[in-house]
Amino acid sequence: MLKDVFNQIKQDPENSDYTNRGIEPLYSAAPTAKLLIIGQAPGQKAQDSRIVWNDRSGIRLREWMGVSKETFYHSGKIAVLPMDFYFPGKGKNGDLPPRKGFASKWHHQLIQAMPDIELTLLVGLYAQKYYLKISSGMTLTQIVKNYRSYLPEYFPLAHPSPRNDIWIKRNPWFEEKVLPDLKKQIQRIL
C-alpha cells in the first residue's frame, strides 16, 4: 500500500517537473509508526540528501522531542509527512510555502496505512491551520500556548528553524512549559 502511494505521487502530473528531474517525494511513513510529524515542506538540504529534517531545524526538533537521531530515523515509530513532499524553492524571506491542495490529496491515504499513530506533532502554522481548522485570525503563539486543548490527537509546535530564534526568546514559556510536556508525551508513546 505505502509503495503504491509513493509511486502514485511520483506519477501525478502535478509532480512531473520533480519526477522528470529525478527528485522523489520526501516523507517517511511506516505501518509501525506511533508518532506522526507534519511540517511545512522539505528544505533544500533535506531534498538534496533525501533525508527528512536533515538540517539545523531537524537537530533542534529532535532535541525538543528528546529523541536520538537513531530513534528518529530508524525505530519505525516516527513518521514524517510534510504539507508538500517537495522543496518548494526559495522566497524573499525563506522557503516558499507548500503547494495548496497537496496534503489533502496525499495525507489521508498515507495516514490510513499507519493505524497505530497516537500523536501528531503539527510543526508550524501551515500544518496547524490545515489540521486544526484554525481561523486566519489566530496566531502561532496563541495556538502553541493553548496546545493542551488539541491533545490527545495533536500537539502544535513552533517551527524549529533558526529563523524562529527571536520568537523562542520572546516566548520563554515555550521552552519552560511546552517542551517538557512534549518530551513526556513522546516518552510515553515511544
Side-chain angles (χ1 to χ4, degrees), residues 53 56-58 60 64 123 158-166 168:
W53 289 99
R56 290 190 314 173
S57 297
R60 181 182 265 173
W64 287 357
V123 182
H159 196 284
S161 167
R163 290 182 166 276
N164 281 336
D165 286 349
I166 292 170
I168 292 166

Side-chain angles (χ1 to χ4, degrees), residues 39-71:
Q40 186 168 309
Q44 183 73 61
K45 191 173 181 183
Q47 182 169 279
D48 290 347
S49 67
R50 302 283 317 127
I51 301 170
V52 294
W53 289 99
N54 186 31
D55 54 19
R56 290 190 314 173
S57 297
I59 292 168
R60 181 182 265 173
L61 179 63
R62 289 188 293 278
E63 288 170 1
W64 287 357
M65 295 169 63
V67 298
S68 69
K69 198 172 183 179
E70 177 68 23
T71 299

Side-chain angles (χ1 to χ4, degrees), residues 97-110:
R99 292 176 288 172
K100 289 185 187 324
F102 192 92
S104 61
K105 193 170 192 176
W106 301 109
H107 279 199
H108 182 71
Q109 295 173 68
L110 292 163

Side-chain angles (χ1 to χ4, degrees), residues 1 31 36 48 66 72-73 85 88 96 98 141-142 148-149 166 170 178:
M1 158 91 182
L36 174 59
D48 290 347
F72 190 86
Y73 290 112
F85 302 156
L96 293 172
T141 303
Q142 292 169 320
R148 284 188 185 98
S149 65
I166 292 170
R170 284 188 187 149
V178 177

Side-chain angles (χ1 to χ4, degrees), residues 123-149:
V123 182
L125 209 46
Y126 291 107
Q128 291 160 12
K129 284 186 174 184
Y130 180 80
Y131 276 92
L132 301 177
K133 310 296 185 227
I134 299 293
S135 70
S136 59
M138 281 190 79
T139 66
L140 175 94
T141 303
Q142 292 169 320
I143 296 164
V144 174
K145 201 171 222 177
N146 294 305
Y147 74 93
R148 284 188 185 98
S149 65

